[in-house]
Amino acid sequence: MSFSSYFSEQARKPSGLFGHIVMPIVFDRGNAFLNGFVNEIMAVQPNDRVLEIGCGTGKLVKMMAKRIDNGLIEGIDFSSTMVEIAQRRNRKNIARGTVTIVEDDFDETTSLNTIFTKACSVNTVYFWKNPQHTVQKVINVLKPAGKLLLAFEDIDQLRKRKLNADVFKLYSKNDVARLLTNIGFSDVCIESREKRKLLFHCAVATKSA
């Protein structure tokens, strides 16, 4: 397996020594801008119940939890390596009952009993095997008028990297907007920001009331 393929697989589901040591650094640095972007737009309220799909190292979970009082931030990830790190990072909030970190595959899980006011995911859409199914499942766990924030990098800059096309499915802004609209979200808009000549997007979609 080439390093490009190996790295792409690790980006999808970190594991082993490489996943435990290298990928947390890659995620924390690489996702920092998008995490802040999403946290700002999310504008978490004290009673919100928020789901992060593919929570990785739990950094965004911790950021959002600062605003929670009687609500809940729940992170789900299918990498045991990431869940271990996320739980450790959020141990104080887990102890006080404002954060839950679950090891599970969102597409297959039956463990989500909460109806969420908001949901988000950062740099994971590329790995969704059946994006229509995933988006429909998000709709199913959101309350009416609930919001989804889906953050991703611009397709042109991703194309310049040596990513395994069998692992990464790249999306343009229009692709993401069309996906969310076709499955049933309304008021879909894309917010974009630049940092050091790199372009990042966040789709904001609302479930019909």
Side-chain angles (χ1 to χ4, degrees), residues 99-208:
V99 164
T100 300
I101 307 289
V102 178
E103 182 186 342
D104 209 342
D105 185 332
F106 176 72
D107 282 345
E108 300 176 4
T109 187
T110 58
S111 66
L112 296 176
N113 298 315
T114 300
I115 296 298
F116 298 92
T117 56
K118 297 170 181 174
C120 63
S121 195
V122 174
N123 274 338
T124 69
V125 65
Y126 329 112
F127 310 122
W128 294 358
K129 292 182 178 180
N130 185 341
Q132 291 79 15
H133 170 77
T134 303
V135 173
Q136 183 61 62
K137 191 151 188 177
V138 174
I139 289 177
N140 293 345
V141 299
L142 280 176
K143 65 178 292 186
K147 292 188 179 297
L148 168 65
L149 275 68
L150 189 58
F152 54 102
E153 288 197 44
D154 188 73
I155 191 170
D156 289 336
Q157 65 203 34
L158 288 176
R159 282 174 173 157
K160 296 176 183 178
R161 301 177 190 170
K162 295 180 179 180
L163 302 171
N164 186 333
D166 292 330
V167 180
F168 277 83
K169 177 176 172 54
L170 305 186
Y171 293 84
S172 69
K173 292 190 301 180
N174 290 339
D175 291 335
V176 171
R178 187 161 46 248
L179 169 66
L180 298 178
T181 300
N182 287 347
I183 302 303
F185 277 103
S186 60
D187 300 324
V188 178
C189 67
I190 308 285
E191 296 200 28
S192 302
R193 293 184 184 176
E194 285 190 26
K195 182 185 179 184
R196 296 174 185 170
K197 298 184 179 180
L198 294 177
L199 186 58
F200 302 87
H201 308 293
C202 183
V204 183
T206 304
K207 178 178 177 177
S208 298

Side-chain angles (χ1 to χ4, degrees), residues 35-36 39-40 42-48 50 58-74 89-90 92-94 96-100:
N35 282 341
N39 186 50
E40 179 185 330
M42 184 75 77
V44 173
Q45 300 301 304
N47 295 323
D48 268 336
V50 182
K59 207 161 190 180
L60 177 55
V61 168
K62 188 173 182 178
M63 292 167 67
M64 294 189 292
K66 292 178 180 178
R67 302 181 183 180
I68 288 294
D69 185 5
N70 295 319
L72 175 72
I73 308 294
E74 181 158 336
R89 173 168 276 160
N90 288 276
K92 291 183 180 179
N93 290 321
I94 291 172
R96 72 186 184 101
T98 55
V99 164
T100 300

